Amino acid sequence: MNKKRLYFIDIIRAFAILMMLQGHFIDTLLATQYRDLNSIPFSVWSYFRGITAPTFFTISGLIFTYLLLKAKEKGETNLRMRKGLIRGFFLIFVGYLIRSPFLRWVTGDFDTYFLVIDVLQCIGLSLILIVSLYYLCNKKTILFSIINLLLGFIIFLTERLYFDVNFENIPLVFNNFVSKANGSIFTIIPWFGYVAFGSFIATLFHGYLKKPKFKTIIIAFFFITGFILIFYSSHILTFIYRLTHIKVFLQSAGYNYLFTRLGNVLIYFAFFYSLERYLKKPLILKIGQKTLSIYVIHFIIIYGSFTGIGLNTIIGKNLNPIQGVIGAILFLVCVCFISFYYVKTNAFLYANLRRIYERIKNAL
């Protein structure tokens, strides 16, 4: 195996996608009477489920920016930026595609719910923003790194100022990227904040990976910073408010889930990076490299993309905890198996999009 490759990135992606699969399965199908936060098993499951999306966004910013900076070493920055833009628009397209109820449309039943924003559109736009920011920084890594760190901090700090924003006067397709009023699950802020922090971390890896004891230092940094964010970030924000009397610090301290979740993500990073040599198994790495295919397949099975017929309509919220656990395990195995051996989502969609592009270009 390549010693210069950051295998822990694929390991974390594998862990996050598996957590997402079981999380969506249980959340969609577990009977209501078992959803009791006073129950220790459910409350623990709920807490760790809440770390999945922050992990996805942070690791997306890390891996994309790391590859972008590596491309600069090879003189391929423009090519990587172009690929990043294409990837971003592609993820946005797929995000809309898997929410399109074609069967309902055929019967004349139209609504705007398919325009809500989910994780794919949000990550896609985030990649576009990262490329744009890198370009605006004139490809200067240090400036890019500092701006990402400041952006992430400001986005998290000011969340109480924009959390209920709703730009009703702009088209719905754009409004959904910034407002949850119409059903969007993710919006570009605050979630781009995690991508920005991931990009900042990528600059650390790019600049210092070859330094002696870097791995030991960065693991300690992840663990200590994560611990502080989880247990003390609210106290620190309150302390800053008392010094400055700037209200936004007190507001952030009173509803501090963003910095706390970032702390959880950093603890994950410390854990998986420290165990990288033991976890870089071919199966785990393959799962980490198949996240888009796995996401699309699981979405079709659970939510019934295109047809409206999925596990959510066939089974509904009717499983007890034992059925939920067994079903989630079988679901993970099934989706991964399909992704590995039967479906190549990326290649299929890229090939068809390229064919459509060529036809349009020839027609013009």
Side-chain angles (χ1 to χ4, degrees):
M1 290 188 174
N2 185 359
K3 293 183 179 180
K4 295 182 180 180
R5 182 175 172 182
L6 297 177
Y7 291 102
F8 93 101
I9 291 177
D10 286 331
I11 294 169
I12 293 175
R13 291 174 72 190
F15 174 77
I17 196 71
L18 293 178
M19 286 290 288
M20 184 209 66
L21 291 183
Q22 65 82 19
H24 284 180
F25 183 91
I26 292 176
D27 182 63
T28 303
L29 304 176
L30 184 67
T32 305
Q33 63 265 33
Y34 300 109
R35 300 167 184 262
D36 181 10
L37 288 175
N38 293 319
S39 166
I40 293 178
F42 184 78
S43 63
V44 170
W45 171 85
S46 182
Y47 180 85
F48 281 96
R49 184 183 177 232
I51 309 174
T52 302
T55 302
F56 252 119
F57 281 96
T58 308
I59 203 68
S60 295
L62 195 164
I63 188 171
F64 177 76
T65 301
Y66 184 74
L67 293 175
L68 180 62
L69 297 177
K70 292 292 287 183
K72 184 179 181 180
E73 296 177 0
K74 303 174 184 178
E76 299 176 351
T77 303
N78 291 337
L79 176 61
R80 174 56 62 178
M81 291 173 68
R82 195 156 52 243
K83 286 183 177 180
L85 292 175
I86 293 172
R87 179 71 171 181
F89 284 111
F90 174 69
L91 290 176
I92 293 173
F93 169 77
V94 174
Y96 284 125
L97 179 66
I98 61 177
R99 281 189 169 272
S100 300
F102 293 114
L103 192 60
R104 292 214 325 261
W105 289 351
V106 170
T107 62
D109 182 8
F110 295 94
D111 61 38
T112 59
Y113 187 71
F114 81 98
L115 290 175
V116 302
I117 301 306
D118 210 330
V119 63
L120 290 185
Q121 293 101 316
C122 201
I123 290 179
L125 180 56
S126 294
L127 296 186
I128 294 170
L129 291 176
I130 288 294
V131 171
S132 302
L133 181 60
Y134 190 64
Y135 178 79
L136 292 174
C137 289
N138 199 27
K139 305 172 186 176
K140 295 179 179 178
T141 303
I142 295 177
L143 177 62
F144 176 70
S145 177
I146 294 171
I147 290 178
N148 270 301
L149 180 61
L150 291 176
L151 262 180
F153 179 75
I154 293 170
I155 289 172
F156 282 12
L157 180 66
T158 59
E159 189 267 349
R160 289 291 90 187
L161 302 181
Y162 60 75
F163 75 99
D164 58 351
V165 69
N166 185 19
F167 298 104
E168 296 180 350
N169 296 325
I170 66 174
L172 184 63
V173 66
F174 300 118
N175 187 30
N176 282 346
F177 273 96
V178 294
S179 170
K180 292 184 178 180
N182 303 301
S184 289
I185 295 119
F186 295 93
T187 49
I188 194 62
I189 50 174
W191 293 99
F192 177 71
Y194 287 107
V195 178
F197 279 119
S199 289
F200 167 73
I201 294 170
T203 62
L204 298 181
F205 274 93
H206 179 260
Y208 302 103
L209 182 61
K210 298 178 182 178
K211 299 291 184 180
K213 298 184 179 181
F214 168 78
K215 186 171 183 177
T216 302
I217 294 171
I218 198 70
I219 289 173
F221 168 78
F222 286 152
F223 182 80
I224 294 170
T225 307
F227 183 84
I228 292 172
L229 288 174
I230 293 170
F231 295 104
Y232 296 104
S233 56
S234 292
H235 299 292
I236 293 172
L237 290 168
T238 302
F239 177 74
I240 296 174
Y241 165 73
R242 289 172 180 167
L243 288 178
T244 64
H245 299 290
I246 299 174
K247 193 175 180 180
V248 69
F249 287 100
L250 185 62
Q251 292 174 323
S252 181
Y255 196 72
N256 181 24
Y257 72 97
L258 293 170
F259 287 110
T260 301
R261 289 306 192 194
L262 179 62
N264 293 138
V265 172
L266 294 181
I267 295 295
Y268 273 180
F269 282 12
F271 176 78
F272 287 111
Y273 196 26
S274 62
L275 297 179
E276 181 184 46
R277 61 181 294 186
Y278 305 106
L279 295 175
K280 55 181 182 181
K281 308 299 181 183
L283 177 61
I284 296 175
L285 298 178
K286 191 171 184 180
I287 292 173
Q289 295 160 8
K290 288 279 187 176
T291 52
L292 179 58
S293 296
I294 290 172
Y295 184 90
V296 171
I297 294 165
H298 109 280
F299 206 95
I300 294 172
I301 295 174
I302 290 186
Y303 303 112
S305 300
F306 316 128
T307 64
I309 302 172
L311 295 180
N312 61 337
T313 56
I314 297 172
I315 299 177
K317 298 185 186 301
N318 290 303
L319 298 185
N320 62 42
I322 295 177
Q323 292 171 329
V325 171
I326 295 174
I329 294 171
L330 294 175
F331 181 65
L332 262 63
V333 173
C334 177
V335 171
C336 290
F337 180 81
I338 295 172
S339 174
F340 291 169
Y341 299 107
Y342 286 95
V343 178
K344 295 183 179 179
T345 307
N346 297 28
F348 174 79
L349 290 174
Y350 272 125
N352 282 277
L353 285 174
R354 193 176 294 111
R355 192 176 298 115
I356 292 171
Y357 170 75
E358 292 296 333
R359 288 181 179 178
I360 293 173
K361 187 172 71 171
N362 293 334
L364 295 175

